[in-house]
Every structure is written in structure tokens, then in C-alpha cells.
Amino acid sequence: MAIVTTSTVDVLIVDDQAPFRSVARSLVHLLPGWRVVGEAATGEDAFEMATVTRPGMILMDINLPGISGIEATRRILAHAPEITIVLLSTYAVEDLPPDAGTCGAVAYIRKDDLTPAVLRALPV
């Protein structure tokens, strides 16, 4: 008899807008084996929560009060390089801040393009 193991993808959602966090939470819940382990509204809170929860993935808004999502990504990955971080924003790719491509995030997704299928295709 074969034993089937399923892994859970723990997700931390970071965005300063509660309505978007709600939408992102709903999208994550649509994926079997995925679960939200926390939400944060600032880069500083994201760093603290990532340290405690050690999620497999962080959905990180670029524009946050305090430190930016880009700086939060750098800080988190310096302490936990195994976490997959995806930057989110409303920017077109050509309008991203220059350091978005060098902060260690694995991908950038426009918020309008975030779907369960897009999440499922990300490397975790």
C-alpha cells in the first residue's frame, strides 16, 4: 500500500489594506493544502511574524508604511532564506522600483493578476 503525503503551504499575507488581505486570504483558502498562518500590515510586523511563523510563502505588498516590502523582503531572507517571497503591487512591471529585482523575491505579481492558478504555479 502506497502512503500518500501531502505538504501544506503556510502563507503569510502582508499588505496595509485590509480589503486586499481579505481577498488574498480567500484566494489562498481556495487551494487545497494551502493555509494562511498570519497577516501583517507593515514591513516591521512582517519581519516579526515571519520569524515566528516561518511560512513557506509570503505575499508581500511593495508599498507599506514604515519599511517597504522590498526592504522587509531583504531582512526576512537574511534570516530565513528558505522562505519564498512574492512581491505584489498595482505597478506595471516597467514601473517597479529598481531594487525590486534584487531583493530576493522569486516573482512579482500585479494584484489584479493574483489568482489561485497563479499562486499554484509559484515555486514553494
Side-chain angles (χ1 to χ4, degrees), residues 18-43:
F20 182 78
R21 289 195 311 269
S22 178
V23 168
R25 186 177 341 105
S26 295
L27 290 173
V28 169
H29 286 302
L30 292 173
L31 296 169
W34 291 52
R35 67 180 178 177
V36 175
V37 294
E39 296 180 21
T42 69

Side-chain angles (χ1 to χ4, degrees), residues 83-100:
I83 296 175
T84 297
I85 301 180
V86 177
L87 294 177
L88 302 171
S89 187
T90 57
Y91 294 129
V93 172
E94 59 272 9
D95 295 329
L96 287 173
D99 52 350

Side-chain angles (χ1 to χ4, degrees), residues 27-113:
L27 290 173
V28 169
H29 286 302
L30 292 173
L31 296 169
W34 291 52
R35 67 180 178 177
V36 175
V37 294
E39 296 180 21
T42 69
E44 292 85 355
D45 288 346
F47 178 80
E48 289 180 34
M49 292 192 75
T51 302
V52 172
T53 63
R54 293 288 200 193
M57 177 180 287
I58 299 176
L59 300 177
M60 178 78 72
D61 185 23
I62 290 177
N63 291 318
L64 297 169
I67 65 170
S68 71
I70 293 169
E71 180 58 28
T73 296
R74 279 194 184 92
R75 292 181 187 186
I76 291 166
L77 292 175
H79 291 279
E82 72 280 2
I83 296 175
T84 297
I85 301 180
V86 177
L87 294 177
L88 302 171
S89 187
T90 57
Y91 294 129
V93 172
E94 59 272 9
D95 295 329
L96 287 173
D99 52 350
T102 61
C103 67
V106 299
Y108 167 70
I109 300 171
R110 288 197 57 201
K111 288 181 178 181
D112 290 346
D113 298 331

